Amino acid sequence: MGDSLEAAAFRRAAEIFGGATALSHWLKVPLDALRKWISGEEPPPQLPYRQVLQVLSARDAHARSGELQLSRTNSTPSALGLGLRVLVASNDRDIVM
């Protein structure tokens, strides 16, 4: 388990968002369910899987064109903007703009 394409996509999206908690907030799904999808323990529903694929596809397209730059340091919360909404996740709070 854990080596399916779906699980790999969810793992990569969690890395991009700075963790499973931030991704679960963005997808509006329970963290426990997301962890099962990341581990490959359960297959994900189609809607969150498609959302993750869109994020990965958009990130790759923007990264290739140089339009999207992600940076993360220990002192700065992670943020990802794809033109739809931005999720800023930190240990203290999550903010959707």
Side-chain angles (χ1 to χ4, degrees), residues 75-95:
S75 61
T76 337
S78 59
L80 173 66
L82 296 174
L84 300 173
R85 58 183 164 178
V86 175
L87 173 67
V88 178
S90 72
N91 292 341
D92 300 325
R93 65 189 185 291
D94 294 334
I95 302 168

Side-chain angles (χ1 to χ4, degrees), residues 6 9-10 26-27 44-57:
E6 292 93 346
F10 277 94
W26 189 80
L27 291 171
Q46 286 298 308
L47 180 59
Y49 181 56
R50 278 183 279 173
Q51 290 172 311
V52 162
L53 292 179
Q54 288 174 346
V55 166
L56 297 177
S57 176

Side-chain angles (χ1 to χ4, degrees), residues 5-26:
L5 290 176
E6 292 93 346
F10 277 94
R11 281 192 302 271
R12 182 67 185 121
E15 289 173 13
I16 291 168
F17 275 84
T21 301
L23 180 59
S24 73
H25 285 284
W26 189 80

Side-chain angles (χ1 to χ4, degrees), residues 16 32 38 41 57 60 67 78 89:
I16 291 168
D32 292 340
I38 289 172
E41 184 179 334
S57 176
D60 289 345
E67 295 174 13
S78 59

